[in-house]
Structures are given as C-alpha cells and as structure tokens.
C-alpha cells in the first residue's frame, strides 16, 4: 500500500538495507580531537574542549553565556532550579513533548500544567497560553497564582518540536506579563532560528541536547544558554557540585550536581559543531525532496517549517488523515526495514503525569494520532 514511499526513501538513501530514523555522521575531526583528549589525560569535566565548546556554541547561537552539561535533561533540571522552582510549585508546558521535559519538572517536586500546542508549529500555542493565564490565574505580589490550586506558576517550558520553532516571541511577552520565568526546551532545535534569532535565546534560559540522535552529538551532552550573567554563574556553580573555587580547599556552599559535560564528550562535540552548517544544508535538501514527493498525494501532509522561522528539520514528519492510515504505514514501513515512528504519547496520559492539570488539548490529541517521523539522517 505504501510501496511508493518505501521505494522513495530507499532510493534517497541508496540502500535496501535497514534505514534508521536518525544516525549521527562523524566525518570531520572527531577522532583527532578524541585522541588529543585521551593523550592529554583530561577526559573528565575539566579540559580545554569543554571551554572551547561553550565559547563556540555561545557564539553560534548569539547567547552571551553557555554552560555545558552532561545531557539535555540535566540542563532542564538546572534551568528549573534557576527559576526557583520548588516543591509544590507549578510549571506550564506542552503535553506533546519528550518525557524529559516533564521529568525535570518532577525532579524539583513541582507539577506540570499542560497547555495545548499549535497545529502549525506543534509547539506550545501562544493563544492557548494567553487564554489559560487570562481566565484561570491571578497575579498577586508579582507572582502568577493558579486559581484552581492556589499554587504559584513559576516557569513555562515550551518546546520547539522536531526543530520547528514555536511562536516564542509571543510566548515571551505573555510570560513577562505574568511574571513567569521562560525556559525554552531547544533540545531538538540546534540550528533553528525564529525571526533570525537562534532558538533558546528568547527566554531567560534555553536548553539544548546533544544526545546521539540529535543533529550534532556529544554521545551524551547538553547545554544551557542565557544572556544573564548571574544566571550563567549560578548554572555553572550548580552543575559543578557547587564547589567554591579554590586552589586546594574542598568547600561546597549548597547542594550541587555532578552535571558538567566531560571533556571527552566535548571533544566529539567541537568536531561535530565544525560540520553543523553542512549538516543543516543537507537536512534542508532532504526536507525539500520529501516535500516535493509528498506534494503529489492527499494521503499525508509533509510538515514544513512554520512562518517566520528557519528550521533545522531535525526529524522530518508527515501527518496522516487518521490513526488507522497512520498505523498501517507504521506497520508496513517498519516491516520493510524503513524505520518510522509515531510522535510521543501525550504526557498527560503517562501514569506519572495523569493527575496533572490540563487545559483543552484538541490540537495535541489530533496531532498525537496522526504524526509519523520518517528517516532523517543527513545524506552527505
Ligand atoms: C524535547 C526534548 N527535551 C529534552 C531532551 C533530553 O535531552 P537528553 O536526552 O540529552 O537528556 C530531549 C532529547 O533527548 C528532547 O527531545
């Protein structure tokens, strides 16, 4: 039934063997820098590649400061701590996201509130956010209070789904009005820009992931970007066990975390970063080829970048008319060795978050049943 799609993907990747959803490409200085790192013996969290990576990613994204972390989840956790999110606070996010976004909220003892996504961006809807805050919260003493629970909504974590930016400038204005700290989950959107500004650079802090499936990878790694010097200093402190800098003394002035990216991972990442531009170019070529191909059918819609944005097209996606068609497609493609995957189960359906408050989730539910990711590895 979907033979034409399978053939097209096999021709595009020039193979009849298994085609994964997303695999990394190591075509630059990866081995050279890794060897350098091993020879130096500085393989752990102190080393020149960690600092070099922080300088380079700050420069690339236009953020003043970048703090390298062990992964994107730890970067999210620290960002929520920077927002002073504590036990019994609440944090707004979208139900259509990877579980790490909500796990990090739970690490702080806080509860998520789920607000719908936009159908066009698949990221937090600015109008749904505005509607919720206007009708279901009150501002008291420069704090946003949830009328239903009486709890403080401290932060908001929108996510740029599959690399496509959401309307983050509008979200920022709304959060500012309600005294809500904005953390952009830009884990998937390294190389994506909204209105010519890099994602992760709109909120008080932004979070990125360099997991093995991302556009560039450290094996495991993440980072926090910010333009706020005090937040940057605190992030570095918290991620390095809150050790007070001293030549020999071991002093820690608060409970900190061992979340700093090791030099070994940073060495890999510095090499990957050198090829980001070419990866981005190739990803856009692949997306254009998919868009062309899917243009001629009415069975599915290829997801294109939203207006005002320049997406990294990290994971390409198609939208089916209904769940039945989607399931037939998933079954046939995976049986034929072409890896495809449905979008995540909505967070409010997972046992850990099923008691969380949620607003009208019409778009999230609609998308959940219809979206499929198709192979998206860079073709060089
Ligand atoms: C939206 C989102 N947030 C957070 C993460 C967590 O990043 P990591 O796997 O590096 O911990 C990921 C990806 O893995 C993600 O896709």
């Amino acid at each position: 039934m979907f033979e034409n799609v399978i053939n097209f993907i096999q021709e595009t990747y020039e193979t009849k063997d298994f085609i994964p959803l997303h695999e990394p490409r190591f075509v630059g200085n990866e081995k050279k820098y890794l060897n350098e790192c091993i020879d130096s013996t500085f393989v752990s969290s102190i080393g020149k590649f960690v600092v070099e990576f922080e300088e380079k990613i700050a420069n690339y994204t236009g953020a003043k400061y970048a703090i390298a972390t062990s992964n994107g989840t730890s970067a999210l956790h620290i960002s929520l701590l920077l927002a002073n999110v504590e036990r019994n606070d609440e944090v707004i996010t979208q139900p259509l996201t990877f579980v790490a976004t909500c796990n990090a909220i739970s690490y702080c003892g806080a509860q998520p509130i789920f607000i719908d996504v936009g159908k066009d961006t698949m990221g937090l809807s600015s109008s749904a956010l505005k509607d919720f805050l206007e009708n279901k919260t009150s501002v008291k003493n420069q704090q946003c209070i949830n009328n239903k629970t009486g709890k403080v909504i401290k932060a908001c974590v929108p996510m740029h789904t599959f690399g496509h930016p959401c309307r983050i400038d509008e979200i920022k204005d709304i959060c500012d009005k309600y005294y809500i700290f904005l953390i952009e989950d830009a884990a998937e959107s390294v190389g994506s820009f909204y209105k010519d500004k890099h994602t992760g650079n709109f909120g008080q802090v932004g979070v990125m992931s360099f997991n093995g499936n991302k556009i560039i990878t450290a094996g495991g790694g993440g980072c926090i970007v910010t333009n706020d010097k005090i937040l940057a200093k605190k992030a570095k402190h918290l991620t390095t066990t809150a050790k007070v800098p001293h030549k020999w003394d071991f002093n820690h002035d608060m409970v900190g975390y061992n979340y700093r990216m090791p030099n070994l991972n940073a060495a890999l990442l510095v090499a990957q970063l050198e090829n980001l531009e070419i990866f981005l170019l190739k990803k856009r070529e692949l997306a254009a080829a998919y868009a062309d191909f899917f243009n001629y059918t009415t069975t599915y819609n290829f997801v294109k970048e939203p207006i005002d944005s320049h997406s990294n097209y990290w994971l390409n996606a198609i939208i089916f008319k209904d769940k039945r068609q989607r399931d037939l497609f998933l079954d046939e493609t995976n049986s034929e060795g072409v890896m495809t995957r449905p979008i995540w189960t909505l967070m409010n359906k997972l046992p850990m978050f099923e008691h969380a408050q949620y607003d009208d989730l019409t778009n999230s539910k609609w998308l959940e049943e219809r979206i499929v990711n198709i192979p998206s590895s860079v073709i060089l």
Side-chain angles (χ1 to χ4, degrees):
M1 191 178 172
F2 298 105
E3 220 177 85
N4 60 335
V5 184
I6 293 168
N7 285 340
F8 177 74
I9 296 176
Q10 286 174 337
E11 276 165 25
T12 304
Y13 280 93
E14 295 179 8
T15 182
K16 295 256 178 207
D17 293 341
F18 173 71
I19 301 172
L21 197 64
H22 199 285
E23 59 183 358
R25 299 283 180 245
F26 303 115
V27 291
N29 287 318
E30 285 86 356
K31 286 183 182 163
K32 181 174 171 234
Y33 295 165
L34 279 171
N35 276 334
E36 234 180 83
C37 182
I38 292 166
D39 290 343
S40 76
T41 75
F42 281 85
V43 292
S44 203
S45 52
I46 293 175
K48 72 164 197 168
F49 287 110
V50 189
V51 178
E52 190 177 332
F53 163 68
E54 287 178 332
E55 281 167 10
K56 289 196 163 148
I57 195 77
N59 195 26
Y60 177 73
T61 57
K64 277 197 185 142
Y65 310 97
I67 298 92
T69 58
S70 50
N71 51 50
T73 312
S74 56
L76 276 168
H77 183 197
I78 295 298
S79 298
L80 289 156
L81 296 177
L82 295 177
N84 284 323
V85 173
E86 293 170 326
R87 188 157 294 281
N88 291 325
D89 285 336
E90 294 180 335
V91 177
I92 290 174
T93 190
Q94 58 200 63
L96 201 70
T97 185
F98 179 59
V99 69
T101 318
C102 300
N103 280 343
I105 296 170
S106 292
Y107 298 166
C108 302
Q111 281 87 41
I113 299 173
F114 297 114
I115 304 287
D116 207 5
V117 296
K119 233 184 197 175
D120 55 341
T121 66
M122 300 174 294
L124 188 69
S125 155
S126 52
S127 53
L129 176 68
K130 185 165 174 267
D131 191 56
F132 175 81
L133 291 170
E134 262 174 22
N135 295 306
K136 298 184 177 158
T137 69
S138 328
V139 170
K140 283 180 202 139
N141 302 325
Q142 303 200 341
Q143 285 193 315
C144 181
I145 311 289
N146 181 347
N147 291 345
K148 187 174 174 194
T149 61
K151 292 180 178 173
V152 182
I153 301 173
K154 284 258 178 84
C156 174
V157 193
M159 199 273 281
H160 302 293
T161 306
F162 307 145
H164 297 310
C166 58
R167 294 210 172 76
I168 194 65
D169 55 346
E170 291 173 14
I171 292 173
K172 172 76 170 97
D173 288 346
I174 298 165
C175 286
D176 282 350
K177 188 172 166 203
Y178 286 86
Y179 301 96
I180 294 173
F181 190 100
L182 178 60
I183 299 165
E184 277 177 85
D185 185 342
E188 304 181 353
S189 61
V190 174
S192 297
F193 292 78
Y194 184 70
K195 295 186 178 168
D196 295 329
K197 196 163 153 182
H198 197 281
T199 50
N201 219 350
F202 289 79
Q204 273 90 341
V205 296
V207 163
M208 288 162 201
S209 164
F210 305 104
N211 186 26
N213 63 354
K214 295 299 186 290
I215 186 162
I216 51 170
T217 183
C223 82
I224 298 169
V225 289
T226 182
N227 292 307
D228 184 314
K229 194 175 180 179
I230 296 169
L231 291 178
K233 211 171 158 207
K234 194 166 173 197
K236 171 90 185 284
H237 193 56
L238 280 170
T239 51
T240 51
T241 63
K243 185 176 182 297
V244 182
H246 190 275
K247 266 188 186 162
W248 55 78
D249 267 351
F250 264 90
N251 265 325
H252 306 259
D253 58 4
M254 60 204 296
V255 174
Y257 300 82
N258 181 14
Y259 280 174
R260 190 146 177 83
M261 181 188 288
N263 203 33
L264 211 46
N265 300 74
L268 192 64
L269 194 51
V270 168
Q272 287 269 288
L273 202 49
E274 289 170 352
N275 280 321
L276 178 57
E277 284 303 337
I278 181 84
F279 290 171
L280 285 167
L281 199 75
K282 294 291 170 190
K283 279 211 165 269
R284 290 184 73 82
E285 280 176 16
L286 177 63
Y290 273 137
D292 243 23
F293 175 79
F294 288 111
N295 221 359
Y296 295 104
T297 121
T298 49
T299 316
Y300 8 59
N301 240 330
F302 179 74
V303 177
K304 292 188 184 145
E305 65 195 349
I307 49 163
D308 291 330
S309 65
H310 190 87
S311 173
N312 67 2
Y313 279 98
W314 169 56
L315 277 191
N316 290 296
I318 49 178
I319 303 184
F320 283 83
K321 280 211 174 91
D322 56 44
K323 187 170 181 299
R324 201 185 68 85
Q325 288 277 321
R326 181 203 76 165
D327 289 349
L328 289 172
F329 181 81
L330 284 167
D331 192 37
E332 193 175 322
T333 47
N334 284 295
S335 306
E336 292 297 319
V338 172
M339 188 173 167
T340 58
R341 203 179 61 184
I343 199 166
W344 316 280
T345 300
L346 296 187
M347 291 299 110
N348 54 301
K349 288 187 183 171
L350 302 183
M352 317 80 88
F353 308 116
E354 65 185 2
H355 300 298
Q357 184 178 351
Y358 56 87
D359 216 28
D360 171 52
L361 301 181
T362 305
N363 292 340
S364 303
K365 287 179 190 160
W366 191 90
L367 290 166
E368 183 202 22
E369 291 192 341
R370 290 170 175 79
I371 291 186
V372 172
N373 289 124
I374 52 179
S376 303
S377 311
V378 165
I379 301 169
L380 291 167

